[in-house]
Amino acid sequence: MPCAAQLLQSAVTRLQSAGSDEPQANAEWLLACALNVSRTWVLANASREISPEDEAVFNRMLTRKEAGEPLSHIVGFQPFCGLDIRVTPDVLTPRPETEELAELAAAAFDRRGRYEFLDMCTGSGCIALALANKFPQARVLAADVSEAALRVAQENARIHRLTERIQFLQSDLWENVMGTFDLIISNPPYIPTADLEGLTCEVKHEPRLALDGGEDGYNITRPLCQAAAGYLKPGGLLALELCKGQAWPLARGLEEIGWKAEVKKDIFNIERFVLARKI
């Protein structure tokens, strides 16, 4: 029987040939999931022999990864702000940039406050869950146009025992939203339609509905911002994640209609986030 190290070496070679990003890390995660152990365990037990049954499970997962399927779809979850978020093909895989957005927004509020938060275009519910987890006295509304995405988000809330503090709402942007909020946060679809074909194979496995921002990338962001002031409490915060090159034009547009806006960079030094307050 092959040992863990041998399986990893072979897997890395296969993933490299397939053009996969981070082949070593992906191979380690897949083997850990196949064995139902931690990635740390895999690295600490490199000489451990792997049974034919576990090897078969690992090879099935590896074949899916070679085909470009996102790791999160294969293993079924993605870590986000300390929570394991269940992921399916119906939702966008939570990314480090979105985790940064959630942390930036959270830093603007007192953890003990009784707030009303709105997560627009919630998808997997990752932002809504992170905020509910960080703010035990807050109430969170998680809205999305996709029924399938909302089912995943609701399941994530159940898993993390946050269903009592998160309300889920099917809504085409503001269509069914009522009330006002201390924070409106969103990672909306923002990729220009023409750019979708140039995305990596993994990203192409994501739901198009969660990616396609229309001709200029602002099809969702524009109406979201146009009506946001009417749904914010005095001094409330609007926090958005955007595509490279979109943040400053949007911030300037908001300032022209009476907002105070700032742009923040992500960990890759890309100007990706807009934080704005109505003045």
Side-chain angles (χ1 to χ4, degrees):
M1 292 187 292
C3 68
Q6 290 171 320
L7 287 183
L8 286 176
Q9 183 178 11
S10 173
V12 168
T13 299
R14 288 173 59 180
L15 292 177
Q16 286 174 333
S17 297
S20 176
D21 293 334
E22 300 184 310
Q24 182 71 42
N26 282 325
E28 292 167 4
W29 274 114
L30 290 172
L31 184 56
C33 186
L35 300 177
N36 197 27
V37 297
S38 69
R39 185 178 171 193
T40 302
W41 187 97
V42 168
L43 297 176
N45 293 271
S47 61
R48 184 71 65 93
E49 290 187 342
I50 306 301
S51 72
E53 294 78 14
D54 286 337
E55 182 182 2
V57 172
F58 176 59
N59 278 321
R60 285 195 294 271
M61 300 172 96
L62 187 60
T63 298
R64 293 171 64 185
K65 192 72 189 72
E66 284 180 295
E69 193 170 346
L71 180 68
S72 59
H73 290 183
I74 300 170
V75 303
F77 73 94
Q78 176 72 18
F80 186 89
C81 291
L83 303 172
D84 284 342
I85 300 298
R86 180 172 176 261
V87 176
T88 77
D90 292 315
V91 298
L92 194 67
T93 298
R95 287 170 167 76
E97 301 94 310
T98 308
E99 196 167 7
E100 286 184 83
L101 175 69
E103 296 290 357
L104 280 171
F109 296 90
D110 184 336
R111 297 296 174 91
R112 298 164 295 180
R114 295 180 178 273
Y115 301 114
E116 301 284 340
F117 295 150
L118 167 61
D119 175 20
M120 182 68 82
C121 306
T122 194
S124 67
C126 59
I127 294 176
L129 268 73
L131 292 174
N133 191 52
K134 291 176 184 292
F135 295 88
Q137 298 190 76
R139 301 287 298 181
V140 183
L141 175 63
D144 204 290
V145 70
S146 168
E147 287 186 37
L150 286 172
R151 284 194 292 270
V152 176
Q154 288 171 315
E155 175 65 9
N156 276 318
R158 186 195 65 77
I159 290 169
H160 293 288
R161 300 180 180 179
L162 291 168
T163 53
E164 292 184 2
R165 291 194 292 111
I166 304 177
Q167 177 188 351
F168 295 93
L169 177 70
Q170 185 182 14
S171 182
D172 187 355
L173 285 179
W174 302 107
E175 180 184 25
N176 298 319
V177 176
M178 298 173 59
T180 55
F181 304 89
D182 299 283
L183 167 69
I184 297 171
I185 187 168
S186 183
N187 173 26
Y190 54 61
I191 299 174
T193 303
D195 293 347
L196 292 175
E197 286 305 311
L199 297 176
T200 65
C201 185
E202 284 196 11
V203 178
K204 287 180 181 178
H205 277 80
E206 307 270 21
R208 188 183 180 100
L209 183 65
L211 298 170
D212 192 348
E215 183 176 358
D216 63 358
Y218 291 101
N219 270 18
I220 304 300
T221 308
R222 188 179 295 111
L224 193 162
C225 291
Q226 287 171 341
Y231 292 89
L232 276 173
K233 295 179 182 180
L237 177 67
L238 174 65
L240 301 169
E241 177 182 331
L242 298 162
C243 193
K244 183 179 180 180
Q246 292 179 342
W248 273 115
L250 182 68
R252 285 193 289 267
L254 287 170
E255 289 182 336
E256 289 174 1
I257 58 173
W259 292 74
K260 181 180 174 67
E262 60 178 328
V263 172
K264 297 283 190 180
K265 294 181 178 180
D266 66 14
I267 54 175
F268 304 108
N269 207 37
I270 294 172
E271 292 170 333
R272 186 173 297 281
F273 310 113
V274 172
L275 304 179
R277 296 183 190 272
K278 186 74 174 177
I279 56 175

